[in-house]
């Protein structure tokens, strides 16, 4: 099993919002996110996926173009949080669990 | 409900921005020569980047906020390339009310010019509601 960490910054979230044109205020407006029961602005799920894919594509040649991937977002990833990935590879399937230092997130 | 088909293109500049966000080091995503050397016919589109195709597609419905992505499934059938034109459609394949929330499956499909399916992305969303603008 391999462990790798990544962080989602405010700049990452703004960059992904511009690129995808996904301006859902839950990602960009602290007050709005708090009003809907969250601790603050959170990363786009697909930004978290981009980060995970980036790490795996750097680490594992087979992850350059995976045939399919399934993700479950169990808890938000908030700005500035470190996510630790546990990566297990078996029979052409890579299983990754991401755990936030404060709280928990899984794919 | 299903959207119309829209032209979708992923530019080299967008791929560069995406790979910078993802922290990818492999030069095939930014350098044509490196991509050709490794057997690609151009600069390939990163697999999950296909989801940004939503920016090109006008949905005939609007999801009421807050919209939360709880699960995502993506299938890559063919590698797509920078600056080529594809077509994309989105449909709501299923929705239900549970615990006072609307659970929706929203499905993006991207086809090449020969009408081969290249990418399929199913988003499991929770939303406040669906407001229908018109139907196709």
């Amino acid at each position: 099993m391999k462990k790798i960490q990544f962080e989602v910054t405010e700049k990452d979230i703004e960059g992904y919002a511009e690129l995808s044109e996904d301006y859902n205020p839950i990602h960009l407006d602290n007050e709005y996110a708090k009003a809907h029961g969250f601790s603050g602005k959170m990363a786009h799920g697909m930004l978290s996926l981009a980060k995970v894919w980036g790490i795996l594509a750097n680490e594992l040649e087979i992850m350059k173009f995976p045939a399919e991937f399934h993700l479950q977002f169990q808890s938000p990833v908030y700005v500035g949080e470190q996510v630790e990935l546990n990566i297990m590879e078996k029979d052409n399937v890579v299983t990754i669990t991401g755990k936030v230092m404060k709280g928990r997130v899984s794919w | 409900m299903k959207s119309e088909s829209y032209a979708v293109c992923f530019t080299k500049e967008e791929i560069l921005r995406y790979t910078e966000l993802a922290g990818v080091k492999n030069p095939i995503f930014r350098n044509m020569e490196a991509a050709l050397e490794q057997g690609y016919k151009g600069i390939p589109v990163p697999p999950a980047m296909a989801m940004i195709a939503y920016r090109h597609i006008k949905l005939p419905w609007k999801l009421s906020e807050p919209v939360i992505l709880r699960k995502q499934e993506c299938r890559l059938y063919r590698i797509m390339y920078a600056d080529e034109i594809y077509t994309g459609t989105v449909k709501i394949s299923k929705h239900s009310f549970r615990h006072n929330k609307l659970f929706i499956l929203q499905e993006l499909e991207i086809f090449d010019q020969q009408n081969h399916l290249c990418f399929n992305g199913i988003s499991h969303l929770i939303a406040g509601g669906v407001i229908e603008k018109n139907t196709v």
Side-chain angles (χ1 to χ4, degrees):
Chain A
M1 187 167 70
K2 207 166 195 170
K3 288 190 177 189
I4 302 175
Q5 287 188 353
F6 73 88
E7 183 182 346
V8 176
T9 66
E10 191 143 5
K11 195 178 163 197
D12 289 333
I13 293 175
E14 288 168 3
Y16 190 81
E18 282 174 22
L19 182 60
S20 64
E21 295 182 7
D22 179 350
Y23 295 107
N24 184 339
I26 216 143
H27 306 299
L28 300 163
D29 183 336
N30 247 334
E31 295 312 309
Y32 180 92
K34 284 178 182 173
H36 287 88
F38 299 100
S39 304
K41 295 185 285 191
M42 68 183 78
H44 301 75
M46 298 312 292
L47 170 60
S48 295
L49 172 58
K51 293 277 187 185
V52 172
W53 169 73
I55 287 167
L56 296 179
N58 291 339
E59 295 287 324
L60 306 170
E61 181 63 17
I62 59 162
M63 285 301 288
K64 216 160 43 178
F65 293 99
E68 64 179 80
F69 35 96
H70 299 251
L71 299 99
Q72 288 189 38
F73 303 99
Q74 294 187 349
S75 295
V77 177
Y78 295 109
V79 177
E81 283 187 323
Q82 287 277 336
V83 180
E84 185 175 84
L85 301 178
N86 290 322
I87 304 164
M88 284 185 293
E89 187 184 356
K90 191 181 176 189
D91 300 332
N92 290 330
V93 175
V94 179
T95 304
I96 306 140
T97 304
K99 193 174 169 186
V100 178
M101 308 305 256
K102 201 171 60 177
R104 190 184 168 88
V105 62
S106 299
W107 287 267
Chain B
M1 277 188 287
K2 188 176 178 183
S3 76
E4 291 182 33
S5 292
Y6 288 90
V8 168
C9 180
F10 306 95
T11 67
K12 291 185 188 76
E13 190 266 339
E14 288 169 344
I15 292 173
L16 184 62
R17 284 163 63 194
Y18 183 89
T19 51
E20 282 174 357
L21 280 169
V24 173
K25 296 171 191 160
N26 195 322
I28 62 166
F29 296 105
R30 57 179 179 274
N31 182 303
M32 180 66 91
E33 283 177 15
L36 295 175
E37 270 175 24
Q38 290 198 35
Y40 299 97
K41 62 174 192 169
I43 292 182
V45 176
M49 184 182 164
M51 291 297 289
I52 74 160
Y54 270 96
R55 63 186 284 181
H56 298 288
I57 298 169
K58 284 186 187 170
L59 301 179
W61 61 87
K62 182 174 167 35
L63 300 180
S64 308
E65 294 169 353
V67 180
I68 295 162
L69 176 62
R70 61 187 194 95
K71 283 187 197 174
Q72 180 68 45
E73 302 167 38
C74 297
R75 290 177 184 83
L76 187 69
Y77 296 96
R78 287 168 184 260
I79 293 174
M80 295 182 281
Y81 290 94
D83 300 326
E84 291 195 359
I85 305 295
Y86 298 88
T87 57
T89 60
V90 177
K91 64 181 176 186
I92 289 181
S93 50
K94 193 177 165 187
H95 62 277
S96 61
F97 269 105
R98 277 182 278 151
H99 309 297
N100 224 16
K101 289 176 182 167
L102 184 62
F103 290 74
I104 302 162
L105 295 189
Q106 193 166 265
E107 185 173 356
L108 166 68
E109 289 184 323
I110 301 177
F111 298 86
D112 64 14
Q113 294 291 298
Q114 289 72 47
N115 212 28
H116 296 127
L117 179 62
C118 298
F119 177 85
N120 170 253
I122 300 175
S123 305
H124 299 242
L125 302 167
I126 300 174
V130 180
I131 301 162
E132 197 173 335
K133 295 183 199 164
N134 57 56
T135 49
V136 176

